[in-house]
Amino acid sequence: MTQPCATKVLVIGYVWPEPRSSAASGHVMQILETFLQQGWDITFSSPAGPGEHKADLAALGIREVPIELNNSSFDAFISELAPDIVLFDQFMMEEQFGWRVEKHCPDALRVLETSDLQSLRHARHQRLKERLKANADQDDFSELFAPALREEFELMADTDLAKREVAALYRCDLNLMISEVEIDLLVEQFGLPRQQLHWCPLMVDLPTAPPKAFAERAHFLSIGNFRHAPNWDAVLWLKSTVWPLIRQQLPQAQLHIYGAYTPPKATALHNAAQGFHVLNWAEDALEVMSATRVCLAPLRFGAGIKGKLLDAMLCGTPSVTTPIGAEGMHGEAEWPGSVTRSASEFADHAVQLYQDEPRWQAAQQAANTLLGERYQRAKHGPALIEKLRLCQQHLPALRADNFTGSMLRHHFHKSTQYMSQWIEAKNRNA
C-alpha cells in the first residue's frame, strides 16, 4: 500500500531566521518545528543574504533555496516544487511573490505570518515622535499607552503602510496573528473576517527545572535586537531618564544591556561608572536572563508580543514594563512583575521588586502560571495544524466568501506582474 505524500510547504522569508537575535525569527522557527513534527516536507527561501546568526535549517532537514526579487527564475522553481502551502513571512513577501504563487500554484493555501502589525508599530512610533517634539517631559507617557482601538485605527488608517499590510492580509487565505489585541483591531476596525485570523503566539515548552531563587541572582537586565526601533528607543529612555532614577535609590545597581547587531551609537552609551553596561550579543539569552534579578523593558511603542518578556517568564525572572510591553501577553491574568506608565513609576517599581523578596517570589509564581495558561507549545502547535488542515479542506468556500481578497488579488497581482516584467526587461537590456 502506497504511503500518502507528505504535505509540501514553501516558506518565503523576509530574512533567514536568526532565533537568537529576534523574537520574530524565534516564532518562525517554532512554526517550522511544528511542521517538522508532522513530517511535512519544508523548503525555506529568502531573497535576503544570510545574517551573522542564521539558523542551520539544513541540519533540521529543511531545504534552503535562495531566491531573487523580480526574477522569473522563481516561476520555474515554484512550478517544480508545487507546494501545498505557501507561508509568507511578513507581508512584503506576499507583495513580491504572491502573484507568482497564484499564477503557478493557484490551489496552494496562502498563509501570512505577521509576527506583529508593522503598520501599528510604525504609527505608534510616529505618535511618540510627535509627543517628544511637543513636550520635552521624559517622565509621563501615559497618554501613549493602551488607547482605544478606534484611536489606533484612526492613527493607522491613512498611512500607506497600513493600506499595504491590510490588503496583504485580505489577499491571503489565513493570517497568523501573535497578539489577540491585533486580532480585535483588525476585526472591529478594519473589517477583516475573524475566520481569516488565527491566534498563534510564541510557543514554548514549560520549564522542567525550578528557576534560580532570589538570593542566587543579581543586577538588572535589558535585552533586544538593536535593529528593532522600539528596543533602541527603550535603551535611550533607560539611559536618559529611567536608569538615573533607579541609581538614585540603588547607588550600586548594575544594568546589563544585551542586543544583537550592536551599533557604535549603542556602545557609546556604555558607562561602567554609572552601572550602565552595553554588552553586545548574548550567546545564550536564557542563561543571562536566569542569572538576573529583574528584567527591564521600558517600551514606549511597538506591537505584537515581546519575546524578551516571555524569556523572562521562562527563566522565572520578574519584569517591569509598560502597557505596550505587556499588551496581548497576559489577558486577564496578573503580570509577573509590574506594568507602569511613567519613568518615575517604572524606577520605583523596579527598585521595589529588586529589594522585596516576597513580592519578587509572587511575581515569579505569576510567570509560571501565565506560561501554563497561554504559551504552551503542546496547545498551540496542534491548534495551528488543525486550522491549516481545515482551511485546506474548505479552501474553495473560504475564497468564495472572501470577495474583497479576491478583488485585491486580481488588481494588485496583475499590476505587480506587469511591473515585474518591465523591471526584468529593463535589467536584461541594461
Side-chain angles (χ1 to χ4, degrees), residues 411-428:
H411 290 287
F412 180 79
H413 289 166
K414 286 291 184 183
S415 61
T416 305
Q417 178 180 353
Y418 297 147
M419 179 60 72
S420 181
Q421 290 170 346
W422 180 82
I423 292 173
E424 286 187 56
K426 183 178 179 182
N427 290 340
R428 284 195 301 268

Side-chain angles (χ1 to χ4, degrees), residues 2-308:
T2 59
Q3 295 294 321
C5 295
T7 297
K8 287 194 288 186
V9 182
L10 170 63
V11 182
I12 304 177
Y14 181 67
V15 296
W16 296 94
E18 296 190 12
R20 294 188 296 171
S21 297
S22 74
S25 280
H27 193 232
V28 170
M29 291 301 298
Q30 292 162 6
I31 292 171
L32 293 176
E33 289 161 3
T34 300
F35 293 168
L36 287 172
Q37 290 171 0
Q38 300 299 310
W40 289 1
D41 185 299
I42 307 172
T43 300
F44 194 102
S45 295
S46 177
E52 183 180 345
H53 309 299
K54 173 184 169 295
D56 187 354
L57 300 180
L60 299 174
I62 299 172
R63 281 187 298 278
E64 300 181 355
V65 181
I67 54 178
E68 295 181 11
L69 300 175
N70 299 312
N71 192 316
S72 57
S73 63
F74 182 83
D75 299 349
F77 159 64
I78 195 170
S79 295
E80 181 179 354
L81 183 63
D84 302 296
I85 299 173
V86 177
L87 176 70
F88 302 102
D89 172 31
Q90 300 195 27
F91 80 90
M92 295 85 78
M93 294 298 95
E94 190 279 336
E95 287 184 329
Q96 292 287 344
F97 296 98
W99 71 270
R100 296 187 187 274
V101 171
E102 182 165 15
K103 179 180 178 181
H104 298 285
C105 300
D107 295 328
L109 182 70
R110 294 186 291 265
V111 184
L112 176 59
E113 200 284 307
T114 60
S115 291
D116 67 4
L117 273 182
Q118 295 188 39
S119 52
L120 175 60
R121 168 161 40 93
H122 283 270
R124 286 173 167 174
H125 194 183
Q126 186 60 37
R127 180 169 58 196
L128 172 63
K129 290 177 181 178
E130 292 172 358
R131 155 65 174 79
L132 292 173
K133 188 183 298 183
N135 186 345
D137 174 45
Q138 286 284 333
D139 181 41
D140 188 0
F141 290 87
S142 56
E143 75 271 19
L144 301 185
F145 299 139
L149 292 181
R150 184 64 190 179
E151 293 179 52
E152 299 285 32
F153 170 76
E154 292 172 352
L155 191 68
M156 300 165 63
D158 285 338
T159 66
D160 175 75
L161 193 60
K163 292 169 183 175
R164 289 172 53 200
E165 187 169 29
V166 173
L169 295 172
Y170 266 111
R171 287 193 296 264
C172 288
D173 302 309
L174 183 67
N175 301 283
L176 307 184
M177 307 301 302
I178 206 166
S179 166
E180 293 164 306
V181 173
E182 293 179 357
I183 291 177
D184 290 341
L185 175 64
L186 290 170
V187 172
E188 297 173 18
Q189 301 300 322
F190 287 93
L192 266 88
R194 193 172 288 272
Q195 64 267 23
Q196 274 185 258
L197 307 171
H198 177 71
W199 181 47
C200 183
L202 297 171
M203 302 179 283
V204 299
D205 299 315
L206 299 184
T208 55
K212 289 185 178 180
F214 180 87
E216 299 177 276
R217 299 169 179 250
H219 310 315
F220 295 92
L221 175 144
S222 181
I223 191 167
N225 190 324
F226 284 108
R227 289 180 175 175
H228 191 53
N231 293 337
W232 173 238
D233 177 74
V235 171
L236 292 178
W237 197 28
L238 275 168
K239 177 70 173 181
S240 68
T241 310
V242 177
W243 185 244
L245 292 173
I246 292 175
R247 287 275 288 192
Q248 285 178 13
Q249 299 182 60
L250 296 175
Q252 302 306 312
Q254 305 294 309
L255 170 61
H256 296 162
I257 299 175
Y258 295 91
Y261 300 105
T262 310
K265 65 181 180 181
T267 54
L269 299 179
H270 177 85
N271 190 319
Q274 296 174 353
F276 197 90
H277 305 272
V278 180
L279 300 173
N280 208 333
W281 185 63
E283 183 70 29
D284 187 333
L286 296 183
E287 181 180 357
V288 297
M289 184 71 79
S290 294
T292 298
R293 188 172 291 179
V294 177
C295 172
L296 305 181
L299 295 159
R300 294 190 288 189
F301 73 98
I305 62 176
K306 314 307 179 293
K308 62 178 71 62

